[in-house]
Amino acid sequence: MKEKFYITTPIYYPSGKWHIGTCYTTVVCDAIARFKRMSGYDVFYLTGTDEHGQKIEKVAKEHGESPKSFVDKQVATLKELWKKLDISYDKFIRTTDEYHEKAVQKIFAKLYEKGDIYKSEYEGWYCTPCESFWTKTQLSDGKCPDCGREVELTKESSYFFRMSKYKDRLIDLIENNDEFLQPKSRRNEMLNNFLKAGLQDLAVSRTSFKWGVPVPFDKDHVVYVWLDALTNYITALGYGTDDESLFRKYWPADVHMMGKEIVRFHSIIWPALLMALDLPLPKKVYGHGWLLLGSDKISKSKGNVVDPVVLSDRYGVDAVRYYLLREVPFGSDGMFTNYAFLSRINADLCNSLGNLLSRTTAMVNQYFGGRLPVTDKKTAYDAEIEKEINGLQGKMSENIDNLLIPEALEDVFALIGRANKYIDETMPWTLAKDENRREELKSVMYHLIEVLRVAGLALMPFLPETAKRILSDVSENPETGEFGDRMRYGLSKEGAAITKGEPLFKRIDVNKESKEMEKLAGEGKEEKKEESPKGKNGEVKEEKKKKHGAEEYKEITIDDFAKIELKVGKILTAEKVEGSKKLLHFSVDTGERVRSIVSGVAKYYTAEEMVGKEVVVVANLKPVTLGGVLSEGMILFAENENGDVISVEPSKRAGGGATVC
Ligand code: MSP
């Protein structure tokens, strides 16, 4: 029998327009769910909508609609979006579904009968957008500590959940069960700010509005929206209904995934409720970081909307999925910029992956009439390629199990990069000129097709459409199935049809297209013309060149130095800046995103020489425009006695994003 795997996203507020940040949790969970299905698990992937509460009631009113007709429309739009993004959920729950509302009432009544819910009076500060109560001391400058917005003093009769009773068990859970709350960094916050600071009982009903599940035995009250919402994870499986078979099969959840701002609800309130209900606890609660635009969490209320539908229509759904899955180090915040988005597509999808497919399929067509050759002959490089192919699934599984999603994708791209290098090493175009080396040529073609076949399978959970195209070009069944033993080297058959299809992704002129995107987003503000503090046009400063003389060094304190954020950056692409003899334009992966950086080193390095290097980047310099191109940081170079400028690089691989300390 298959092992079960139950994964959930939070249920979404259906209260407005969706932006690329809101798609983050769902796309990530989708990739995990697909990977687990292909790895042979019986997966249940749950998502849905959180439709009750004062916030929705207010927004619906602003639209001149009843809450239900408002949320119905919103839910339809959200489902369309998930369809567009190829989200393979197994169930979509709405908290207005009748079975859910009834189950919530049963749960409420059960906790009341048990004495874990009691009636009293509540006075507190309420944040309507977050649907959260705060005590005066929890407020930050008199505002909501979660979102920074205004709060209202509220006094009303309320039912309370006896959460304080579970304080010690909750502390024990978070302190002594490493698996439960991840990443680790979220644990101290929960322990110190909430649990150890004194855990109070929680108001779990409201009387000041009506849009909610009525308390079954006191119709003046509606159930607090977070109690209503959190229980979706079990009611969706039929808990509290006549058919609890799915609940028995899938509960407890293997992963509850969410953004970091709602970890508190999932790692404190939710386990306390489950303890009160005598139910097993979820195995893992994971709070991922935010996708930021500028320095804000992308959010419509702050006016920064990046429309996932516009992006998908223009660049393809898989470009959007790839960006979300690959760009942000999982668990940390990442920044969305048009430039980073476009550079990723170019560097990874168009250059690395697209080129490998088009070069390989073109060669098999040119040299072997589009039929895959097989041979016993090996080249000197084949053993390593075979080893990389056979190691891929294991590496990816480990990364997915540890929720290292970008790393799992990097595993595939490492194999793709290795295969591109293999082409340079074996030089098939030279082999093709020599009749005596025909067998070696066959071997090279076979190994390249095997890389594409296995990489195509490995990409299915992440980029389903692209993966299918790759697989059908190399004659592997593109229909979703399990990996089984298909990830092993050597399964392609002699004579298999190899097709040269359309390019997977079109090459983009990043600078031109960034400007188009700015217009599309309605942000077409003129770039500020600023000069680099480093020197006009970014060339290595004259003043610095003289430093070898008897000039005095200005001392700075360690605190001054600490203000400079130095990071390792990996150069993904490089090109000359049009109209400048001095400037090179790089796209540099600094971990949290890909940056556009301009340096005045064209005299010392060619663009090609710089690609692939790991360099040191000053990451917190104010962005400037150099030669008409945005520069978001500075790459460090050393200058020797002869005036040669040499890039400063770590002595061994450190990885883009590593801190220089
Ligand atoms: N309704 C609650 C969850 C209840 S679960 C019992 C909620 N909904 S939400 O619509 O505001 O958020 C849904 C998910 O989207 C959350 O995981 C949230 O963190 C995520 N994101 C919303 N904006 C985001 C970014 N800018 N970046 C990354 N994730 C973001 O909270």
Side-chain angles (χ1 to χ4, degrees):
M1 217 181 59
K2 287 184 175 186
E3 202 177 320
K4 68 94 186 172
F5 185 79
Y6 180 32
I7 181 163
T8 68
T9 71
I11 45 175
Y12 284 72
Y13 291 126
S15 55
K17 261 195 108 195
W18 317 105
H19 54 73
I20 187 153
T22 29
C23 304
Y24 189 63
T25 324
T26 314
V27 170
V28 164
C29 287
D30 185 64
I32 300 171
R34 285 174 182 266
F35 190 90
K36 286 296 212 181
R37 282 190 204 110
M38 288 188 75
S39 303
Y41 284 77
D42 175 355
V43 171
F44 196 89
Y45 172 20
L46 176 71
T47 191
T49 38
D50 184 0
E51 304 184 13
H52 292 125
Q54 198 170 9
K55 182 165 71 175
I56 302 284
E57 198 180 67
K58 260 190 184 170
V59 182
K61 207 166 169 197
E62 282 160 22
H63 282 76
E65 289 191 55
S66 74
K68 185 66 169 71
S69 80
F70 175 74
V71 292
D72 282 350
K73 285 183 198 151
Q74 292 289 322
V75 170
T77 318
L78 186 63
K79 283 187 170 171
E80 277 300 307
L81 176 61
W82 293 158
K83 198 165 155 202
K84 180 153 206 106
L85 291 178
D86 256 335
I87 305 299
S88 63
Y89 56 78
D90 294 290
K91 175 151 185 158
F92 190 105
I93 183 172
R94 298 183 58 178
T95 52
T96 51
D97 287 337
E98 202 186 333
Y99 71 88
H100 169 79
E101 291 188 346
K102 283 195 173 146
V104 169
Q105 289 184 320
K106 270 197 195 167
I107 289 169
F108 201 96
K110 189 169 177 176
L111 295 179
Y112 183 70
E113 278 154 28
K114 195 182 167 194
D116 269 353
I117 283 182
Y118 62 93
K119 196 170 183 182
S120 181
E121 197 160 72
Y122 185 80
E123 186 176 282
W125 298 85
Y126 195 68
C127 173
T128 309
C130 294
E131 309 274 17
S132 294
F133 284 110
W134 302 100
T135 60
K136 194 157 189 200
T137 50
Q138 285 174 322
L139 298 179
S140 142
D141 293 333
K143 305 239 165 72
C144 170
D146 268 357
C147 73
R149 280 176 277 213
E150 295 295 335
V151 284
E152 279 169 49
L153 183 63
T154 317
K155 188 172 181 178
E156 58 186 55
S157 131
S158 179
Y159 286 90
F160 282 80
F161 170 51
R162 219 177 277 286
M163 195 153 71
S164 54
K165 178 174 154 189
Y166 298 98
K167 180 179 163 192
D168 292 342
R169 276 179 73 188
L170 290 167
I171 291 178
D172 179 56
L173 172 70
I174 294 182
E175 266 181 349
N176 300 322
N177 180 349
D178 284 355
E179 275 294 295
F180 177 71
L181 177 56
Q182 289 187 1
K184 227 176 168 177
S185 52
R186 313 258 180 258
R187 276 180 226 158
N188 280 347
E189 191 192 339
M190 292 305 123
L191 285 169
N192 300 335
N193 298 1
F194 298 105
L195 286 168
K196 293 187 178 167
L199 188 64
Q200 292 175 357
D201 289 350
L202 180 72
V204 286
S205 75
R206 304 290 316 275
T207 51
S208 54
F209 64 94
K210 286 274 161 258
W211 181 237
V213 178
V215 168
F217 44 84
D218 191 343
K219 295 285 173 340
D220 289 340
H221 290 250
V222 290
V223 174
Y224 173 46
V225 68
W226 271 99
L227 191 152
D228 168 5
L230 286 163
T231 53
N232 94 87
Y233 299 128
I234 50 177
T235 63
L237 298 176
Y239 178 83
T241 71
D242 295 341
D243 181 2
E244 294 196 335
S245 53
L246 287 178
F247 175 73
R248 282 192 297 276
K249 183 168 178 192
Y250 290 108
W251 189 255
D254 293 270
V255 180
H256 282 318
M257 181 71 74
M258 75 222 56
K260 62 184 178 183
E261 80 285 10
I262 51 174
V263 162
R264 180 169 69 92
F265 299 92
H266 287 80
S267 63
I268 298 177
I269 302 178
W270 181 223
L273 284 168
L274 289 164
M275 286 170 189
L277 291 167
D278 290 318
L279 291 176
L281 304 181
K283 292 189 194 153
K284 195 175 285 184
V285 166
Y286 192 99
H288 64 66
W290 290 336
L291 198 57
L292 306 166
L293 184 68
S295 57
D296 285 337
K297 177 180 166 211
I298 297 176
S299 126
K300 59 187 181 322
S301 48
K302 288 182 178 153
N304 294 325
V305 182
V306 183
D307 192 332
V309 176
V310 173
L311 290 174
S312 303
D313 286 345
R314 202 168 167 93
Y315 308 103
V317 171
D318 281 349
V320 175
R321 287 179 64 107
Y322 184 74
Y323 178 83
L324 290 171
L325 294 166
R326 171 68 184 78
E327 187 66 15
V328 184
F330 206 56
S332 319
D333 290 346
M335 212 187 284
F336 180 89
T337 65
N338 298 340
Y339 182 81
F341 176 76
L342 297 171
S343 303
R344 268 289 167 211
I345 303 176
N346 256 2
D348 297 358
L349 300 181
C350 182
N351 288 358
S352 281
L353 176 64
N355 276 352
L356 181 67
L357 181 70
S358 59
R359 285 160 94 188
T360 305
T361 51
M363 286 190 288
V364 178
N365 275 275
Q366 190 185 340
Y367 304 140
F368 297 97
R371 292 285 161 187
L372 184 64
V374 172
T375 177
D376 290 336
K377 178 92 185 161
K378 298 268 178 194
T379 77
Y381 306 98
D382 294 356
E384 196 190 325
I385 290 282
E386 289 169 24
K387 195 169 148 216
E388 296 272 329
I389 292 174
N390 288 330
L392 181 63
Q393 190 178 3
K395 277 193 219 160
M396 289 179 80
S397 297
E398 196 179 326
N399 277 328
I400 293 282
D401 286 344
N402 291 318
L403 300 178
L404 296 170
I405 315 301
E407 284 77 357
L409 257 180
E410 265 170 47
D411 292 334
V412 191
F413 279 83
L415 175 64
I416 290 161
R418 182 66 194 85
N420 275 322
K421 192 167 158 221
Y422 173 80
I423 297 183
D424 297 340
E425 289 163 344
T426 54
M427 295 190 289
W429 50 91
T430 312
L431 300 176
K433 285 186 196 139
D434 187 345
E435 236 344 278
N436 296 326
R437 303 190 73 185
R438 189 90 183 142
E439 292 305 304
E440 282 168 75
L441 182 63
K442 285 183 182 173
S443 182
V444 172
M445 292 303 112
Y446 189 84
H447 282 82
L448 289 173
I449 291 295
E450 277 294 273
V451 166
L452 284 163
R453 185 182 65 78
V454 170
L457 286 167
L459 287 175
M460 284 289 288
F462 305 94
L463 314 176
E465 283 311 311
T466 306
K468 278 184 194 165
R469 287 176 59 194
I470 299 172
L471 292 175
S472 70
D473 283 355
V474 301
S475 263
E476 168 73 49
N477 181 4
E479 289 319 312
T480 324
E482 293 183 8
F483 291 129
D485 64 358
R486 292 194 291 165
M487 297 287 280
R488 266 192 306 114
Y489 166 80
L491 300 186
S492 282
K493 296 266 181 306
E494 182 164 18
I498 306 298
T499 318
K500 179 162 170 33
E502 288 292 300
L504 289 178
F505 292 88
K506 293 222 169 70
R507 225 194 125 66
I508 298 168
D509 178 334
V510 175
N511 289 324
K512 241 190 185 163
E513 189 60 21
S514 297
K515 296 207 171 96
E516 286 300 309
M517 281 178 88
E518 273 173 32
K519 276 193 227 148
L520 272 177
E523 317 168 344
K525 291 177 233 133
E526 271 293 291
E527 268 180 80
K528 251 175 127 189
K529 294 259 177 293
E530 278 184 62
E531 288 296 353
S532 160
K534 189 180 162 201
K536 268 193 182 169
N537 295 330
E539 76 277 23
V540 178
K541 236 180 172 182
E542 275 309 308
E543 190 190 308
K544 260 196 179 166
K545 286 189 179 169
K546 291 180 203 135
K547 273 263 147 74
H548 304 288
E551 254 182 81
E552 264 180 48
Y553 283 94
K554 254 192 212 139
E555 279 181 353
I556 59 167
T557 64
I558 189 77
D559 291 340
D560 292 330
F561 180 68
K563 288 183 197 150
I564 303 171
E565 197 186 323
L566 295 175
K567 278 185 167 187
V568 172
K570 180 163 184 197
I571 299 189
L572 301 178
T573 62
E575 60 193 6
K576 288 193 121 183
V577 172
E578 237 177 274
S580 164
K581 287 196 181 119
K582 293 178 181 165
L583 300 180
L584 286 183
H585 176 205
F586 304 108
S587 60
V588 186
D589 180 357
T590 48
E592 84 295 5
R593 66 184 158 122
V594 178
R595 290 162 187 256
S596 165
I597 301 185
V598 179
S599 306
V601 293
K603 244 164 78 184
Y604 311 100
Y605 286 97
T606 63
E608 296 71 39
E609 272 176 305
M610 292 299 290
V611 175
K613 273 188 194 294
E614 286 191 346
V615 290
V616 177
V617 174
V618 181
N620 58 342
L621 262 188
K622 199 167 172 225
V624 291
T625 307
L626 297 172
V629 180
L630 175 71
S631 187
E632 306 168 290
M634 179 166 89
I635 298 175
L636 296 188
F637 290 86
E639 190 200 2
N640 69 12
E641 302 79 17
N642 306 327
D644 296 327
V645 169
I646 299 146
S647 58
V648 176
E649 297 170 35
S651 58
K652 52 181 173 180
R653 198 192 153 274
T659 308
V660 178
C661 46

